[in-house]
Amino acid sequence: MIEILKQLSDAGGISGFEFVLAPKVEELLRPYCDEVTRDQCGNVIGWVHCGETDAPTVMIESHMDGIGLMVKNITDRGFLTFVPIGGIDPRILPASEVVVYGKKELFGVIGAKPPHLQSQEDAKKAPKISDMAIDVGMSAEEVKQIVSVGDMVYFKTEAVSLPCGKGFSGKYLDDRAGIVSLLICLERLKGHKLPFHLAVLCAVQEEVGLRGAKMGAHSIFPSAALVVDVCHGNTPDSGAESVFAPGSGTVLSLGPNIHPKMAEIAKRAAEEKGIQFSLDVDGGNTGTDAWAVQVARTGIATLLLSIPLRYMHTTVETLSFDDVTATGDLLAETLIHLKGEEFSSCI
């Protein structure tokens, strides 16, 4: 599973361009699912049927898109200007290595005015995206044969295991780590017969408005949904407000976005099985696909589990793989506990 996370992290697949990643996600789901489909907006959906025609459906979900860039213009000197896709801090971009997904993949670097040439006033400010460009080392004529306005650009950073423990760093761990936790859950469920159909939604376009989850939840319309995303891992400057240490387990959210019975079942399952977890109190919008899933159609009983992640929306997102495992384990145990009277009380 660590190798799978590395493969998913190293791949492209930014919001709106997930088609480059979808075949890999389909391949990963097939060993666990009775069927795997892709809907019109690009969501990948796996189905595990329970054999009962009138059985309800439960959904587990994670988004598979990541942040990135899109080519805005090709200058007369061969540089590529760009716009951001998703929430990107411009300060991380200068000196970043990128791949431009044109007629063929082109390596490039993002440049900005070097400090030696900046005025004292410029040096005090973060560079603007409008002042940056991608340099692919080619003339405008050469670039235009390969690159078009609207082509996607993703970050080149390759995932690495950190030398101590289960540390892992790379891009797009938000939320490729969530996809891996779904796979861990499916692996844990082997041999268990659930009293409901299980839908596995790997959603598109979370980073630009929770769009894939909205459409997928509306189409599947499960009785209950277990959503996985990331939350903020602690850093030296983060303080203690709503941050969690990597290695401390999965994070179970509480609040109006979360069905209280679902949270109760998950908490009890974690305690019974000794799965490490923390509690997070979200007074309103969790900022995740759970926010969209909960209100699909006439409403879905929703649970949110999160993986602590440092340096979110950068090219060096960092986590502990133990937390990915804990999240997958708790997904599976919560599904196993969703049966009989407990399950019916959620719907």
Side-chain angles (χ1 to χ4, degrees):
M1 290 294 180
I2 291 177
E3 178 57 31
I4 288 172
L5 180 56
K6 183 181 189 310
Q7 293 170 12
L8 293 176
S9 173
D10 289 349
I14 65 176
S15 296
F17 298 87
E18 297 91 348
F19 57 83
V20 302
L21 180 68
K24 178 63 177 177
V25 175
E26 290 172 338
E27 174 191 333
L28 292 170
L29 288 181
R30 283 195 183 98
Y32 302 104
C33 298
D34 298 314
E35 60 176 314
V36 178
T37 62
R38 202 186 311 180
D39 67 17
Q40 282 185 300
C41 63
N43 289 322
V44 175
I45 306 169
W47 287 93
V48 182
H49 299 301
C50 69
E52 301 293 333
T53 305
D54 298 328
T57 295
V58 174
M59 180 177 80
I60 57 176
E61 188 269 354
S62 174
H63 72 88
M64 62 180 179
D65 60 310
I67 60 172
L69 311 170
M70 185 167 64
V71 176
K72 181 179 181 181
N73 189 33
I74 302 170
T75 73
D76 57 5
R77 295 165 63 190
F79 296 105
L80 309 178
T81 61
F82 55 86
V83 296
I85 293 180
I88 296 179
D89 185 342
R91 294 173 296 180
I92 74 165
L93 294 177
S96 291
E97 298 178 338
V98 297
V99 174
V100 183
Y101 199 86
K103 292 178 181 176
K104 66 178 182 179
E105 293 188 352
L106 278 183
F107 173 81
V109 295
I110 297 178
K113 185 186 291 186
H116 316 71
L117 303 180
Q118 293 178 12
S119 66
Q120 288 185 343
E121 196 61 34
D122 286 341
K124 297 176 183 178
K125 303 174 186 175
K128 298 178 181 178
I129 286 179
S130 58
D131 294 332
M132 299 181 216
I134 299 169
D135 187 349
V136 294
M138 302 168 72
S139 69
E141 289 184 0
E142 292 171 320
V143 173
K144 288 177 181 178
Q145 292 177 18
I146 301 170
V147 179
S148 301
V149 170
D151 284 346
M152 76 164 180
V153 181
Y154 62 91
F155 297 109
K156 179 70 168 59
T157 311
E158 293 186 359
V160 295
S161 294
L162 299 180
C164 297
K166 294 287 184 69
F168 194 90
S169 182
K171 65 180 185 293
Y172 305 149
L173 302 186
D174 172 12
D175 195 25
R176 310 287 163 84
I179 297 291
V180 173
S181 75
L182 302 188
L183 297 173
I184 291 171
C185 169
L186 293 170
E187 181 70 27
R188 298 288 188 268
L189 288 174
K190 282 183 174 179
H192 287 277
K193 183 168 175 58
L194 300 173
F196 45 78
H197 305 299
L198 182 63
V200 185
L201 174 61
C202 300
V204 299
Q205 299 196 35
E206 187 270 354
E207 300 292 0
V208 291
L210 318 181
R211 296 173 185 172
K214 289 177 184 177
M215 294 177 278
H218 182 92
S219 173
I220 296 167
F221 192 41
S223 299
L226 291 72
V227 174
V228 178
D229 210 318
V230 294
C231 60
H232 293 287
N234 63 353
T235 58
D237 56 353
S238 63
E241 186 67 25
S242 293
V243 296
F244 302 87
S248 62
T250 190
V251 179
L252 171 61
S253 288
L254 304 173
N257 190 188
I258 310 303
H259 195 289
K261 186 64 177 179
M262 292 286 288
E264 177 189 325
I265 293 170
K267 185 172 182 291
R268 185 168 68 250
E271 290 170 344
E272 287 180 6
K273 294 297 181 179
I275 299 170
Q276 197 171 10
F277 74 99
S278 301
L279 294 174
D280 187 20
V281 176
D282 288 302
N285 190 342
T286 58
T288 70
D289 280 341
W291 189 249
V293 169
Q294 180 192 30
V295 295
R297 294 212 209 178
T298 54
I300 298 168
T302 301
L303 178 76
L304 173 63
L305 298 178
S306 301
I307 301 164
L309 182 75
R310 288 178 175 148
Y311 325 122
M312 194 180 298
H313 284 203
T314 73
T315 59
V316 290
E317 294 177 333
T318 301
L319 52 71
S320 168
F321 196 81
D322 284 342
D323 299 336
V324 182
T325 301
T327 301
D329 288 346
L330 188 52
L331 280 176
E333 290 300 330
T334 303
L335 290 170
I336 291 168
H337 278 67
L338 275 176
K339 54 188 176 182
E341 293 180 1
E342 284 186 324
F343 176 68
S344 63
S345 66
C346 290
I347 58 178

